[in-house]
Amino acid sequence: MFERSVFINCPFDDDFSPLLQAIAFCVTFLGFMPRLAPQNGDNALNRLNRIDEIIRTSRFGIHDLSRNKAKAKGEFARMNMPFELGIDYGCKTFGTAPLTSKCILVLEERRYDYQKCLSDIAGWDIEAHGGDYQLAIRKVRGWLVRQAAAPAKGASLIESKYAVFQQWYWARELAAGASDDDIRQYPTVDVVDAMQQWMDLGQPD
């Protein structure tokens, strides 16, 4: 499980949802297991303990820093993502094998924004996606191919299969009695679970 697990540390707001789901699909389609904090539903653990457990059992980590800047006056920047990046980095740096083999990808919306809030990681290869889910797929796909020996399937193929999955998922939920509004409000973790189900069924149309 450790070798195929990818911790995805991204915003869970509605605006970011298209990117998060596209990233999760890319990870799933390439044969890996996306891990999100809300998936660990053990109520005996608090949120931080759940995140610790996912990080400890995931060789790969994708960390998006797009929400490190407040959008409005008086609004606070969100520090959960850089904090969890720090946990993952510390796990790799100070842990013992196999934790020392962990690989980290850092994403941001606009290039070099990270330098204004987390300059300690200057020199890392930070990837910018511009808020574009297709570019996010390409960044994640390239990283998994390079760092995880993922099959070198083309980004355009992944994007087309993502469209097929979305059509399949929408049709399945409508057939189960859900409305369009119901489906739009389903939590991302449910959609991610459906991605693996779609893969297990042989990627039906």
Side-chain angles (χ1 to χ4, degrees):
M1 181 176 180
F2 175 80
E3 291 292 331
R4 308 302 291 179
S5 292
V6 181
F7 172 51
I8 301 179
N9 170 29
C10 295
F12 278 86
D13 56 70
D14 291 341
D15 288 343
F16 197 86
S17 181
L19 278 84
L20 174 53
Q21 293 183 17
I23 289 169
F25 180 83
C26 180
V27 169
T28 302
F29 188 71
L30 292 179
F32 293 80
M33 181 187 306
R35 309 281 302 282
L36 309 177
Q39 285 175 316
N40 187 342
D42 184 354
N43 290 325
L45 299 174
N46 64 37
R47 178 177 173 83
L48 185 54
N49 289 146
R50 295 177 187 179
I51 292 168
D52 288 345
E53 176 64 16
I54 293 174
I55 290 174
R56 187 180 62 81
T57 55
S58 299
R59 183 181 177 193
F60 303 97
I62 298 173
H63 302 266
D64 191 284
L65 304 181
S66 298
R67 295 295 185 267
N68 287 348
K69 181 179 180 181
K71 291 185 176 181
K73 183 178 180 179
E75 183 179 83
F76 289 98
R78 293 164 60 182
M79 293 293 103
N80 285 343
M81 273 65 74
F83 178 68
E84 292 167 26
L85 167 60
I87 295 174
D88 205 3
Y89 176 74
C91 199
K92 170 182 173 63
T93 303
F94 302 112
T96 57
L99 299 179
T100 51
S101 69
K102 288 170 69 66
C103 295
I104 294 173
L105 171 65
V106 180
L107 299 172
E108 61 181 347
E109 184 171 354
R110 291 176 296 273
R111 193 158 179 79
Y112 303 124
D113 271 2
Y114 78 92
Q115 293 183 349
K116 303 170 186 176
C117 63
L118 197 60
S119 58
D120 282 352
I121 62 174
W124 288 19
D125 290 328
I126 314 299
E127 297 283 1
H129 51 61
D132 182 342
Y133 82 91
Q134 293 175 311
L135 186 54
I137 286 176
R138 292 174 183 273
K139 298 296 186 181
V140 171
R141 177 260 178 204
W143 175 69
L144 285 174
V145 169
R146 292 190 306 271
Q147 300 295 331
K153 297 179 180 179
S156 294
L157 173 64
I158 298 171
E159 291 168 21
S160 65
K161 290 293 186 179
Y162 183 42
V164 172
F165 161 75
Q166 289 176 311
Q167 293 170 358
W168 171 85
Y169 177 68
W170 207 269
R172 187 189 74 168
E173 298 307 312
L174 289 173
S179 68
D180 288 348
D181 286 341
D182 291 336
I183 300 170
R184 292 189 188 97
Q185 294 178 30
Y186 284 162
T188 290
V189 291
D190 289 355
V191 182
V192 172
D193 288 343
M195 292 173 184
Q196 187 58 58
Q197 294 163 11
W198 179 77
M199 293 288 290
D200 292 342
L201 289 171
Q203 306 171 27
D205 295 333

